[in-house]
Amino acid sequence: MTPFFIYTGIILMMPFIFSGQKTTVILLDNNKTTNGITITTQGGSVDIDIPNTQTVLSSQEAKPEPLSSVEVSVIEQKYVQAFEALPSHPVSLLFYFKSGSTELTSESRVQMSALIDLIKEREPCVVDIIGNTDTKASFGSNYNLGLERAKMLKSFLEEQHIQLSEVHIESYGESNLLVPTVDEIDEPRNRRVEVLVR
């Protein structure tokens, strides 16, 4: 039997699921108030909107089996290999910069070792590096400064010889403020780079 885990979402077609085996679809708890999915085959459909409930699909032509609840401990025990194969949840770290520069604050320089450790735990991994600024300079200048901050962190990671499958850099400049401000405000929490490790 093939397990198929859903945290939340909608599946329009599932032809890839049926391979002559039964497929179990389990709605896992995603710790949100809205959680549900409709499973539809040619034989009918079933709504799963209660966490840790399941249906079984035997073919594209057959109606999904009635819902049944599953204890979390049973799910974890029965599908341990499937859970181990799932990708890790992304982790986000913020690094802060001195005003108008690509120089990290002393607190953020200390945090660089935590970034290296995190990446080494997940090698090979994908890293997104997103530069941000406050509103102290012009929009164009802030975009460029955000990009330079992201490039600086990328260069640092390359110097560490860490195995990365992909690295993406981009700049939001002043368009993604952590602390909303008007123009020409020197806000230290907006002068940051977010590093997302997945």
Side-chain angles (χ1 to χ4, degrees), residues 93-116 129-132 145-146 148-157 159-160 188 190-195:
L93 297 174
L94 295 178
F95 296 88
Y96 296 95
F97 291 80
K98 294 184 177 180
S99 184
S101 78
T102 59
E103 184 180 347
L104 288 167
T105 62
S106 57
E107 296 85 3
S108 288
R109 277 196 306 274
V110 171
Q111 192 180 350
M112 295 298 275
S113 60
L115 174 62
I116 294 167
I129 305 172
I130 305 160
N132 298 272
L145 179 57
E148 289 305 311
R149 289 173 174 166
K151 286 179 180 178
M152 186 277 296
L153 274 179
K154 180 184 178 195
S155 294
F156 171 80
L157 292 177
E159 291 168 4
Q160 305 306 308
N190 288 334
R191 297 190 306 260
R192 71 196 188 284
V193 164
E194 179 180 12
V195 179

Side-chain angles (χ1 to χ4, degrees), residues 3-55:
F4 192 72
F5 302 111
I6 306 292
Y7 285 96
T8 187
I10 299 170
I11 295 181
L12 301 175
M13 295 177 58
M14 298 189 297
F16 57 90
I17 291 178
F18 301 102
S19 61
Q21 297 182 14
K22 289 186 176 183
T23 299
T24 301
V25 179
I26 303 172
L27 180 68
L28 301 174
D29 192 351
N30 69 355
N31 298 316
K32 295 183 180 180
T33 55
T34 304
N35 197 15
I37 186 166
T38 299
I39 305 296
T40 303
T41 65
Q42 294 170 1
S45 65
V46 64
D47 294 327
I48 307 177
D49 56 4
I50 299 171
N52 304 319
T53 55
Q54 69 180 2
T55 185

